[in-house]
Amino acid sequence: MNADTENQLADGSFEFLSIFLEGLPFIFLGTLISGFLGTYLPRGAFEKILPKNRTLAVIISGFLGAIFPVCECAVVPVIRRLVKNGLPVSCALSYMLAAPIFNPITAYSTFKAFNSSTDVMFTRLGFGYLIAVIIALIAARFAINNILKSSNDQKPLHEHHHPRNLTSALQNSLRDLMDVGLYFAIGVILTAILKTAVVDPNEPFWKDLGANFAGGTIGMMILAFLLSLCSTSDAFIAANSFDHFPIGPKLAFMIFGPMVDAKLIFLYSTVFKWRFILFLTIAAFLLTGIASWIAQNHLISDSPKAPVEDLLTP
Amino acid sequence: MTSLQARLFGLIASLWGGLLVYFYHSGRIRRYLEQDFHQLILIGGIGILILGLFFVINPKDKSSTTCSHDHHHHDSEDHHQNCDHDHSDCEHDHDHQHDHCDHHHHDEGHGPLVTALLTLVPLTIAMAYTQDQYTVTGKTIAKKGLYEAPAINQTFKFTREDLEKRVPKNSLGEYQIRLITAYYAAGDKEMQPIFEGLPVELEGRIAPEKLNNEEGNRLRIFRSIISCCAADMQIIGISLDIPEDIERPKLNEWAKAGGTLDFEKINDTIYPVLRVRGFMPAEEPYSEFIKRQ
């Protein structure tokens, strides 16, 4: 093995472990919640909680991230179980796509990363929410067997009375942890390989894309997909590492990434069919592109500078 | 989930949880994650470990005689073909015993062997090859920004008086400024005059220099900035211009470099450079990361 390969293997291993170690406790938290929801939440509970009107229900579900803030890794096992327990898929989608962006933690990090700019923060949260709701409303028109994997179908022919005890909840949690953890690991392996062996955001190719809006927006969405950053930290990367890009493409990076990235698609595959994941990716890509254009031309005039805190104090 | 599956899944979960606890306990976690996440790793690790061990020891729900699993009935397949009792008329609550049913009621997910293969093998390989940091001679560290110039027009402002009042000096009268300060100064034309020619001491890790180093008289000193984990790391570095008679630190070592701060233009971009007076060894901090605020 030559030195380059050894370095790449060492760096890839480091990258893989850092994402896996960071993500696993959140996945565990998500699966713990999902296990207990699966056991203790009565079927049909959502019919009582959510409005009968599907559109209104989707709109409200998109706001849930503000009340139950979860990151994109933890949200997948939760919605997986909620869907099994009768939450309409469109509502689950609305929550799943909006929650990583439309939550107080992401709002604060975006605010700080863009030098206390409320414009950037509200534009990101607003478009993140809007795109999630639009995709969910479109998905509501699909037949459910075109969206969900068969194991997640909501088609029990009769009611089962499952035992509602701790062991049952933990068993659900373990099963979810194993399913989601497996796909998470696959996604992280792919991300680590892409980041250490394939993608170099400092290459002239990526830098030159910043010169025009369309290229910059597409490039930043592809980078967001490949880099698979957390929604809580991606704003800092967008603000600091891509200074040569205008604000529109930066927003595209921060909106598209938390909805679709290399590791997330494997997590989504625990719930959705691959064909639907492809639809989700294309829809998010197009809608984010439009949002980026609107933001660039009508909402935010200039990219606020990356902040520098009090640099003098040691 | 059968007893064997529950036990094997429990074992895999125990290993995942054990891995998190190990990283926390050994202190290796400080190389991977920002300090705020360390306790989360411990709590998460213990939680996963408990969950896993519970099913290693107690793989079946013995307290209940009812179904403890989802029980989706599939239209197209006879899901109960191996059961010897009659399920054809399923209008009942399904509270009868299922412990004798050895079949797998779910067709979801993968079995424990696939899960073990696709998670434990990559983890083992990663544990064997990781150096707990990006290699200083590899390409990834450059991708993270080691050789990049600072973004222009930063928004921090201060005067020479601020510097005098707030920044300590070493015994040689060199300002012990943060490496990040010197780095960002190069991005602001108003700040450059304050720093240009200033005697400073910078502390960081040493990497090879790949810019403007035809004569081989340069190294690079750097620090890492992160929000959560090493994956979102941004690396900032400053070139060290070293006279021949100065003893050089080894690559990857922590060092304090004293000298005069200067700025140089390479391909129309301004980079900071330290004209080195000398080096002193430095201890690696508990966490080498600078947290993004």
Side-chain angles (χ1 to χ4, degrees):
Chain A
M1 203 185 297
N2 65 31
D4 267 0
T5 314
E6 260 180 40
N7 283 338
Q8 225 159 51
L9 196 54
D11 289 345
S13 298
F14 180 60
E15 186 92 20
F16 168 73
L17 282 171
S18 73
I19 306 175
F20 189 83
L21 291 172
E22 189 206 4
L24 194 58
F26 289 102
I27 300 256
F28 173 61
L29 178 69
T31 52
L32 209 57
I33 294 168
S34 74
F36 278 81
L37 286 176
T39 305
Y40 291 105
L41 193 73
R43 278 196 71 84
F46 295 109
E47 287 162 20
K48 292 174 192 159
I49 299 165
L50 290 169
K52 294 274 181 289
N53 182 302
R54 182 57 56 87
T55 306
L56 193 60
V58 167
I59 289 169
I60 288 172
S61 302
F63 282 117
L64 289 178
I67 305 161
F68 307 111
V70 279
C71 63
E72 56 268 43
C73 292
V75 77
V76 176
V78 175
I79 67 111
R80 183 171 182 254
R81 185 62 66 174
L82 291 180
V83 165
K84 280 182 180 178
N85 271 39
L87 177 69
V89 178
S90 51
C91 296
L93 260 175
S94 177
Y95 174 53
M96 182 187 84
L97 295 175
I101 298 175
F102 199 86
N103 73 65
I105 302 161
T106 305
Y108 181 71
S109 71
T110 310
F111 178 74
K112 292 292 283 181
F114 284 87
N115 200 24
S116 307
S117 165
T118 48
D119 284 356
V120 176
M121 182 187 77
F122 284 124
T123 307
R124 181 186 191 190
L125 265 64
F127 276 123
Y129 169 80
L130 206 60
I131 291 168
V133 168
I134 291 170
I135 292 175
L137 288 174
I138 297 170
R141 306 177 77 86
F142 294 175
I144 204 152
N145 58 2
N146 286 332
I147 299 177
L148 295 178
K149 281 176 79 171
S150 58
S151 55
N152 295 298
D153 279 355
Q154 300 170 312
K155 51 180 183 184
L157 296 180
H158 55 265
E159 182 74 26
H160 276 269
H161 288 180
H162 298 285
R164 288 187 179 169
N165 56 33
L166 184 66
T167 309
S168 175
L170 291 177
Q171 210 164 40
N172 282 337
S173 295
L174 179 69
R175 182 72 241 192
D176 287 353
L177 179 66
M178 290 296 113
D179 283 348
V180 179
L182 168 65
Y183 285 97
F184 174 66
I186 294 169
V188 176
I189 292 167
L190 178 70
T191 305
I193 292 169
L194 287 171
K195 287 176 78 170
T196 53
V198 183
V199 188
D200 182 357
N202 295 319
E203 273 181 355
F205 170 76
W206 295 106
K207 288 188 166 177
D208 293 346
L209 283 175
N212 71 82
F213 172 78
T217 303
I218 292 168
M220 286 293 266
M221 284 195 280
I222 293 171
L223 270 181
F225 179 88
L226 298 174
L227 297 181
S228 301
L229 296 166
C230 295
S231 60
T232 49
S233 60
D234 60 358
F236 291 103
I237 301 292
N240 293 312
S241 301
F242 300 106
D243 198 63
H244 46 291
F245 281 80
I247 188 65
K250 283 181 182 175
L251 272 167
F253 181 86
M254 294 187 291
I255 294 170
F256 185 74
M259 292 189 184
V260 186
D261 69 32
K263 94 180 128 49
L264 274 177
I265 58 166
F266 286 96
L267 288 177
Y268 290 164
S269 74
T270 62
V271 191
F272 304 115
K273 288 186 169 169
W274 278 105
R275 201 186 301 174
F276 180 74
I277 296 171
L278 182 66
F279 156 77
L280 186 69
T281 306
I282 294 169
F285 194 86
L286 293 175
L287 290 169
T288 305
I290 294 167
S292 165
W293 183 84
I294 295 170
Q296 172 85 40
N297 293 292
H298 299 287
L299 296 178
I300 306 171
S301 56
D302 188 23
S303 176
K305 303 303 176 198
V308 178
E309 295 294 311
D310 183 359
L311 293 173
L312 282 178
T313 310
Chain B
M1 213 167 12
T2 64
S3 303
L4 180 64
Q5 280 180 321
R7 197 161 262 159
L8 289 173
F9 277 139
L11 186 63
I12 295 167
S14 305
L15 291 170
W16 291 0
L19 183 83
L20 296 188
V21 174
Y22 161 72
F23 265 85
Y24 178 87
H25 184 69
S26 65
R28 288 176 71 178
I29 198 67
R30 70 195 163 93
R31 303 269 196 152
Y32 290 82
L33 299 181
E34 207 283 319
Q35 217 162 337
D36 290 351
F37 287 81
H38 292 186
Q39 286 194 335
L40 184 76
I41 295 297
L42 179 66
I43 294 165
I46 291 171
I48 298 171
L49 196 57
I50 291 170
L51 179 70
L53 288 176
F54 180 83
F55 285 100
V56 170
I57 297 162
N58 177 35
K60 272 215 160 179
D61 179 6
K62 292 189 174 88
S63 65
S64 170
T65 54
T66 58
C67 288
S68 59
H69 47 258
D70 288 334
H71 216 293
H72 295 181
H73 284 221
H74 295 259
D75 308 71
S76 58
E77 54 189 289
D78 180 10
H79 210 58
H80 294 112
Q81 56 191 335
N82 296 325
C83 275
D84 51 8
H85 60 268
D86 184 13
H87 267 261
S88 58
D89 181 13
C90 266
E91 293 298 321
H92 55 274
D93 278 341
H94 237 282
D95 276 341
H96 56 264
Q97 287 194 16
H98 262 257
D99 283 352
H100 63 285
C101 277
D102 221 8
H103 62 257
H104 189 207
H105 285 263
H106 302 268
D107 63 355
E108 65 181 75
H110 295 277
L113 290 180
V114 174
T115 308
L117 189 72
L118 291 176
T119 59
L120 299 181
V121 171
L123 281 170
T124 308
I125 293 171
M127 291 284 285
Y129 282 96
T130 182
Q131 294 182 10
D132 291 343
Q133 60 191 11
Y134 292 116
T135 52
V136 291
T137 50
K139 289 177 183 163
T140 312
I141 200 166
K143 292 180 185 180
K144 300 279 180 182
L146 178 62
Y147 301 104
E148 294 300 305
I152 54 169
N153 294 327
Q154 296 294 324
T155 53
F156 77 109
K157 298 284 177 228
F158 52 82
T159 61
R160 186 66 178 254
E161 286 70 41
D162 292 332
L163 203 67
E164 293 285 353
K165 276 184 207 161
R166 291 162 58 191
V167 180
K169 292 178 185 173
N170 64 14
S171 57
L172 296 169
E174 293 165 338
Y175 290 95
Q176 294 171 309
I177 62 170
R178 298 168 73 188
L179 193 146
I180 188 172
T181 312
Y183 176 80
Y184 279 121
D188 192 320
K189 284 181 181 166
E190 287 179 42
M191 291 291 103
Q192 284 167 19
I194 296 174
F195 287 97
E196 198 155 18
L198 193 74
V200 298
E201 179 189 282
L202 304 175
E203 187 175 345
R205 204 141 61 91
I206 302 295
E209 178 57 289
K210 293 181 180 173
L211 287 176
N212 206 17
N213 193 22
E214 291 75 21
E215 293 170 19
N217 61 331
R218 289 191 173 202
L219 288 172
R220 188 159 274 254
I221 190 165
F222 72 93
R223 294 296 306 261
S224 317
I225 306 171
I226 66 167
S227 300
C228 306
C229 71
D232 67 45
M233 185 188 289
Q234 181 194 357
I235 295 173
I236 55 167
I238 290 180
S239 190
L240 301 171
D241 186 26
I242 310 163
E244 266 183 27
D245 57 332
I246 302 286
E247 195 181 338
R248 296 165 175 225
K250 288 180 188 155
L251 291 183
N252 213 22
E253 264 186 2
W254 277 81
K256 289 178 180 174
T260 309
L261 194 61
D262 198 2
F263 301 100
E264 60 185 0
K265 204 177 237 186
I266 305 170
N267 298 328
D268 288 334
T269 306
I270 295 172
Y271 292 84
V273 56
L274 186 74
R275 313 284 178 201
V276 175
R277 167 200 53 76
F279 288 101
M280 277 179 55
E283 261 187 46
E284 182 183 344
Y286 173 75
S287 171
E288 69 167 295
F289 304 133
I290 300 167
K291 188 189 177 187
R292 286 193 189 95
Q293 298 296 320

